[in-house]
């Protein structure tokens, strides 16, 4: 059930905000929960977070960078509601398949002591627990009770929903409502981000405790401030505490390495597009399907080509490459590209930035279980089944036109 909660949180959060942001925030939290609950293998939980973040992000145009790029590069306008309505069935199918395979593949870790599939269903839906699960749960509550009874400890005053958490949820909800009403995506995103930054700054300045730079000895007693002397032996007076502005605080939280990675990718792919090689590559690989790539059965080979390319060059550069190759693609064509490029991120650990963020954030807190060789045995079958099930549903049920209104081909 813990894994199911992680999946639900990751799927909904990625659809509402963005998958990279969700995994950046929750990777360390998931590892911490595994440590506190004495989970022997955290890999299923990290996989749950990464894979469902990628799948959930396919639902909305703001769920991941490649969807945002698709909407900005598409020749015809695609609204937020139109995008989401097309993706509901494929994303739902991919979520169910991914979750089922997760519970099957890692049943020993997720259902310790379970006797079989029927008991697993009872654990998920009826709340049953095996003796092994009860032992882990009792050990956790005993440890927490001992922690709360210790001196200088006790109930966490910040447990539950704080005022600031409610404000953030309210702003994000308004953010989604304005998207659904058809307001400009860029304007709404900038406004919501600015409001959230102002709220965070106000909270940090007026509510958060000030950092304590006092040194303490082994018994917890404060140590006097160290005195500094110049070359002549005169004591140097300590300078007044430097005021740290909100701009400085915010800039220190920017991941410049990741930013440079994306800048480099865009520059490289932009230069590569100008060579004409991508156009020639698609003509060769698609063969007779080059003029009808998203029609059945050509669409199934098309999404496989996108999946392979997304795991070689990453999905965002592939979308940029496709926009240069097929500048007048229809909205339905872009729906297929969006779904396949997003789900392809689960094929290998290098398939999406979200996977790399989960691995990096987990490694920062000492958990190195999320590796390429451990990701592949689950990621490959889950991705392929989810990809083709979702592609089939999208080809059967879609609301985006298979023609271009701007070019006037819908009137033919």
């Amino acid at each position: 059930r813990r894994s199911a909660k992680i999946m639900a949180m990751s799927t909904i959060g990625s659809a509402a905000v963005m998958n990279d942001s969700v995994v950046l925030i929750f990777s360390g939290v998931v590892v911490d929960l595994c440590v506190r609950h004495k989970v022997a293998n955290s890999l299923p939980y990290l996989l749950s977070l990464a894979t469902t973040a990628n799948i959930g992000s396919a639902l909305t145009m703001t769920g991941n960078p490649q969807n945002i790029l698709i909407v900005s590069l598409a020749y015809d306008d695609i609204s937020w509601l139109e995008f989401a309505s097309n993706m509901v069935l494929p994303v739902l199918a991919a979520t169910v398949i991914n979750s089922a395979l997760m519970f099957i593949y890692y049943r020993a870790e997720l259902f310790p002591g379970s006797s079989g599939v029927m008991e697993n269903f009872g654990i998920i839906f009826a709340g049953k627990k095996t003796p092994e699960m009860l032992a882990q749960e009792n050990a956790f509550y005993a440890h927490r009770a001992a922690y709360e009874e210790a001196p200088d400890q006790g109930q966490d005053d910040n447990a539950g929903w704080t005022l600031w958490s409610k404000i953030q949820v309210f702003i994000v909800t308004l953010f989604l409502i304005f998207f659904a009403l058809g307001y400009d995506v860029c304007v709404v995103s900038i406004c919501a981000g600015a409001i959230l930054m102002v709220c965070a700054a106000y909270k940090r300045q007026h509510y958060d405790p000030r950092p304590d730079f006092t040194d303490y000895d082994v018994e917890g007693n404060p140590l006097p401030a160290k005195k500094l002397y110049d070359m002549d032996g005169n004591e140097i007076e300590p300078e007044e505490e430097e005021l740290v502005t909100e701009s400085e605080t915010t800039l220190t939280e920017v991941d410049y390495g990741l930013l440079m990675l994306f800048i480099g990718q865009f520059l490289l792919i932009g230069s590569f597009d100008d060579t004409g090689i991508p156009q020639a590559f698609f003509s060769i690989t698609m063969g007779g399907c080059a003029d009808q790539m998203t029609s059945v059965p050509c669409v199934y080979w098309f999404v496989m080509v996108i999946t392979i390319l997304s795991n070689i060059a990453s999905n965002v550069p592939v979308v940029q490459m496709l926009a240069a190759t097929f500048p007048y693609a229809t909205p339905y064509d872009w729906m297929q590209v969006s779904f396949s490029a997003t789900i392809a991120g689960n094929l290998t650990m290098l398939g999406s930035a979200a996977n790399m963020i989960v691995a990096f954030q987990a490694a920062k807190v000492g958990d190195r279980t999320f590796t390429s060789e451990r990701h592949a045995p689950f990621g490959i079958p889950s991705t392929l089944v989810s990809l083709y099930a979702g592609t089939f549903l999208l080809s059967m049920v879609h609301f985006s036109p298979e023609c271009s209104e701007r070019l006037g081909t819908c009137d033919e």
Side-chain angles (χ1 to χ4, degrees), residues 222-296:
L223 296 173
K226 294 181 180 179
K227 295 183 179 181
L228 300 176
Y229 299 89
D230 58 18
M231 296 293 293
D232 299 325
N234 302 315
E235 183 180 348
I236 301 175
E237 295 293 331
E239 298 179 359
E240 294 184 5
E241 184 179 347
E242 184 179 356
L243 177 63
V244 179
T245 65
E246 286 302 319
S247 299
E248 292 174 309
T249 304
T250 303
L251 289 173
T252 58
E253 297 174 358
V254 176
D255 192 332
Y256 293 100
L258 193 62
L259 188 62
M260 292 303 298
L261 170 66
F262 282 112
I263 292 173
Q265 280 186 332
F266 280 111
L267 291 174
L268 179 62
I269 296 300
S271 302
F272 186 57
D273 289 341
D274 294 337
T275 64
I277 295 176
Q279 294 84 337
F281 173 80
F282 274 98
S283 297
I284 294 172
T285 55
M286 294 305 297
C289 291
D291 296 328
Q292 46 184 356
M293 290 180 294
T294 54
S295 62
V296 178

Side-chain angles (χ1 to χ4, degrees), residues 36 140-157 159:
R36 287 166 55 191
F140 168 73
Y141 285 121
H143 175 75
R144 189 170 72 175
Y147 175 82
E148 291 175 352
E149 292 174 1
D152 300 327
Q153 302 295 341
Q155 296 293 331
D156 186 2
D157 295 333

Side-chain angles (χ1 to χ4, degrees), residues 6-20 22-23 48-64 66-67 80 83-84 87-88 90-96 98-99 176 338-339 342-343 346 354 386:
I6 292 173
M7 290 180 181
M9 171 201 69
S10 177
T11 302
I12 296 171
S14 297
V17 190
M18 184 179 283
N19 59 347
D20 294 348
V22 169
V23 297
S48 299
L49 177 66
T51 55
T52 52
N54 285 326
I55 293 172
S57 70
L59 181 63
T60 62
M61 66 167 62
T62 53
N64 55 56
Q66 62 267 22
N67 285 0
W80 193 87
F83 195 104
M87 291 298 179
V88 168
V91 168
L92 182 61
T95 301
V96 171
N98 184 76
S99 302
L176 297 175
S338 170
F339 182 76
T342 301
I343 302 301
N346 286 338
S386 301

Side-chain angles (χ1 to χ4, degrees), residues 85-105:
S85 62
N86 281 280
M87 291 298 179
V88 168
L89 284 179
V91 168
L92 182 61
T95 301
V96 171
I97 292 169
N98 184 76
S99 302
L101 290 177
M102 178 68 68
F103 291 140
I104 293 171
Y105 195 86

Side-chain angles (χ1 to χ4, degrees), residues 38-331:
K38 298 183 178 180
V39 175
N41 184 11
S42 63
L43 180 61
Y45 302 97
L46 293 173
L47 268 174
S48 299
L49 177 66
T51 55
T52 52
N54 285 326
I55 293 172
S57 70
L59 181 63
T60 62
M61 66 167 62
T62 53
N64 55 56
Q66 62 267 22
N67 285 0
I68 297 173
L69 188 61
I70 283 172
V71 174
S72 63
L73 296 177
Y75 189 70
D76 291 84
D77 293 331
I78 303 174
S79 68
W80 193 87
L81 276 180
E82 178 188 348
F83 195 104
S85 62
N86 281 280
M87 291 298 179
V88 168
L89 284 179
V91 168
L92 182 61
T95 301
V96 171
I97 292 169
N98 184 76
S99 302
L101 290 177
M102 178 68 68
F103 291 140
I104 293 171
Y105 195 86
Y106 291 103
R107 57 187 179 276
E109 289 86 351
L110 299 176
F111 307 103
S114 175
S115 58
V117 176
M118 296 308 298
E119 188 171 1
N120 294 348
F121 278 111
I123 293 171
I124 296 173
F125 299 108
K128 296 182 180 179
K129 297 175 183 177
T130 63
E132 287 80 357
M133 295 172 70
L134 287 172
Q136 290 182 0
E137 189 175 278
N138 292 335
F140 168 73
Y141 285 121
H143 175 75
R144 189 170 72 175
Y147 175 82
E148 291 175 352
E149 292 174 1
D152 300 327
Q153 302 295 341
Q155 296 293 331
D156 186 2
D157 295 333
N158 296 321
W161 287 80
T162 64
L163 172 63
W164 300 104
S165 299
K166 294 175 182 177
I167 291 174
Q168 290 173 339
V169 171
F170 176 72
I171 294 172
V172 172
T173 304
L174 287 179
F175 170 75
L176 297 175
I177 291 173
F178 280 111
F179 274 161
L181 292 175
Y183 285 83
D184 186 84
V185 173
C186 297
V187 174
V188 174
S189 300
I190 292 173
C191 291
I195 293 171
L196 287 171
M197 289 180 69
V198 170
C199 290
Y202 186 82
K203 175 178 177 290
R204 189 158 40 233
Q205 290 289 339
H206 299 282
Y207 285 88
D208 288 351
R210 298 293 179 186
D212 183 13
F213 299 106
T214 306
D215 294 325
Y216 297 88
D217 60 19
V218 292
E219 297 178 353
N221 301 314
L223 296 173
K226 294 181 180 179
K227 295 183 179 181
L228 300 176
Y229 299 89
D230 58 18
M231 296 293 293
D232 299 325
N234 302 315
E235 183 180 348
I236 301 175
E237 295 293 331
E239 298 179 359
E240 294 184 5
E241 184 179 347
E242 184 179 356
L243 177 63
V244 179
T245 65
E246 286 302 319
S247 299
E248 292 174 309
T249 304
T250 303
L251 289 173
T252 58
E253 297 174 358
V254 176
D255 192 332
Y256 293 100
L258 193 62
L259 188 62
M260 292 303 298
L261 170 66
F262 282 112
I263 292 173
Q265 280 186 332
F266 280 111
L267 291 174
L268 179 62
I269 296 300
S271 302
F272 186 57
D273 289 341
D274 294 337
T275 64
I277 295 176
Q279 294 84 337
F281 173 80
F282 274 98
S283 297
I284 294 172
T285 55
M286 294 305 297
C289 291
D291 296 328
Q292 46 184 356
M293 290 180 294
T294 54
S295 62
V296 178
C298 294
V299 66
Y300 297 112
W301 174 239
F302 179 57
V303 298
M304 178 53 68
V305 172
I306 293 177
T307 300
I308 294 172
L309 286 175
S310 296
N311 281 272
I312 295 175
S314 190
N315 41 26
V316 174
V318 168
V319 169
Q320 186 181 4
M321 187 189 306
L322 285 169
T325 309
F326 310 106
Y328 302 112
T330 67

